């Protein structure tokens, strides 16, 4: 697997991902699990952030502190990406959030763009793209095209996802060879309908309790 793909390896990550997979997991539990994994992904993906120093004052004495230097923005893909947004805002509370609306057409499985909150010029240095699932990779690629067309180079984008398929990761990397991807788990197969197997199901439906009864 490419060195630009980082798969988290930790007992807490594995346990939460296993909980998310189960059909018995409630929407509340599912939201909490996605949030927890978002914190873990964001924390690990931020280890190499550039820092700048400043002089501060404690109640006892002066000190030299550090702050994150790059201006960070969050771009969740509606609607499932919203499940990761609050987690990343916990880490970066001042970050602007630029929502992207993209859905996958059910027959062709091609991505369809329907909404963008990207301003005319990017006022940020680093972008975290939030997409809980990378199945075929089409939606993530469409979002990456929108962000790079906006003016953010691939080297300044980090794609964070909870679960990906091997084919989806390969597809994204083929289109964007330099993209840095952080993922909590990888499954090897896709169904004929383009769903990750065994996967999590429809993340948006499970987050917001709109799962259809079979």
């Amino acid at each position: 697997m490419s060195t630009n793909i980082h798969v988290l390896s930790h007992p807490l990550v594995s346990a939460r991902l296993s909980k998310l997979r189960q059909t018995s997991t409630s929407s509340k539990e599912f939201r909490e699990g996605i949030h927890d994994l978002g914190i873990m992904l964001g924390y690990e993906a931020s280890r190499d952030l550039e820092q700048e120093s400043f002089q501060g004052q404690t109640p006892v004495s002066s000190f030299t502190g550090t702050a994150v230097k790059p201006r960070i923005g969050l771009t969740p893909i509606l609607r499932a990406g919203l499940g990761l947004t609050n987690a990343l805002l916990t880490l970066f509370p001042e970050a602007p959030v630029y929502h992207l609306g993209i859905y996958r057409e059910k027959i062709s499985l091609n991505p369809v763009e329907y909404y963008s909150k990207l301003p005319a010029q990017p006022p940020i240095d680093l972008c975290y793209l939030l997409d809980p699932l990378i199945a075929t990779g089409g939606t993530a690629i469409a979002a990456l095209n929108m962000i790079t067309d906006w003016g953010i180079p691939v080297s300044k984008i980090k794609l964070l996802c909870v679960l990906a398929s091997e084919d989806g990761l390969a597809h994204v990397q083929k289109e964007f060879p330099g993209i840095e991807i952080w993922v909590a788990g990888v499954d090897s197969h896709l169904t004929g309908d383009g769903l990750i197997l065994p996967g999590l199901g429809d993340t948006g439906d499970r987050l917001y309790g709109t799962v259809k009864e079979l």
Side-chain angles (χ1 to χ4, degrees):
M1 191 171 290
S2 167
T3 56
N4 284 342
I5 298 177
H6 307 276
V7 183
L8 302 191
S9 178
H10 195 286
L12 295 179
V13 172
S14 179
R16 279 164 173 75
L17 186 57
S18 296
K19 178 70 173 179
L20 291 179
R21 291 186 188 275
Q22 299 183 73
T23 56
S24 58
T25 298
S26 68
S27 290
K28 175 180 180 295
E29 293 169 327
F30 196 87
R31 286 191 298 271
E32 291 170 347
I34 292 288
H35 181 275
D36 289 349
L37 287 172
I39 292 283
M40 297 173 192
L41 286 164
Y43 178 82
E44 292 296 333
S46 303
R47 285 185 176 274
D48 63 349
L49 287 180
E50 186 179 359
Q51 300 179 75
E52 58 185 1
S53 61
F54 67 90
Q55 295 302 310
Q57 182 72 38
T58 78
V60 179
S61 70
S62 62
F63 75 101
T64 300
T66 62
V68 172
K69 185 174 182 178
R71 299 168 298 170
I72 293 172
L74 310 177
T75 54
I77 299 177
L78 299 175
R79 63 183 163 148
L82 295 176
L84 293 171
T85 303
N86 283 340
L88 271 293
L89 283 173
T90 300
L91 300 176
F92 306 106
E94 303 300 325
V97 180
Y98 306 116
H99 299 89
L100 301 180
I102 305 171
Y103 71 89
R104 189 170 66 171
E105 201 278 322
K106 293 185 180 296
I107 303 301
S108 67
L109 302 182
N110 291 326
V112 179
E113 302 169 14
Y114 67 90
Y115 183 79
S116 172
K117 198 61 177 175
L118 300 175
Q121 300 295 328
I124 60 173
D125 305 307
L126 181 64
C127 179
Y128 284 77
L129 175 59
L130 310 179
D131 188 10
L133 293 185
I134 298 178
T136 64
T139 300
I141 289 169
L144 287 166
N145 279 319
M146 295 171 73
I147 296 169
T148 53
D149 288 346
W150 184 38
I152 302 293
V154 172
S155 62
K156 298 299 182 181
I157 303 172
K158 295 175 184 277
L159 172 55
L160 274 57
C161 63
V162 171
L163 185 66
S165 73
E166 292 181 357
D167 287 347
L169 290 175
H171 189 193
V172 172
Q173 284 226 304
K174 179 180 178 181
E175 296 297 322
F176 292 91
I179 188 66
E180 183 178 325
I181 303 174
W182 291 81
V183 58
V186 179
D187 286 348
S188 58
H189 294 91
L190 290 172
T191 69
D193 296 328
L195 301 176
I196 301 176
L197 183 70
L200 304 176
D202 187 297
T203 307
D205 283 339
R206 298 197 67 190
L207 278 168
Y208 303 113
T210 54
V211 179
K212 295 180 180 179
E213 295 293 336
L214 297 178

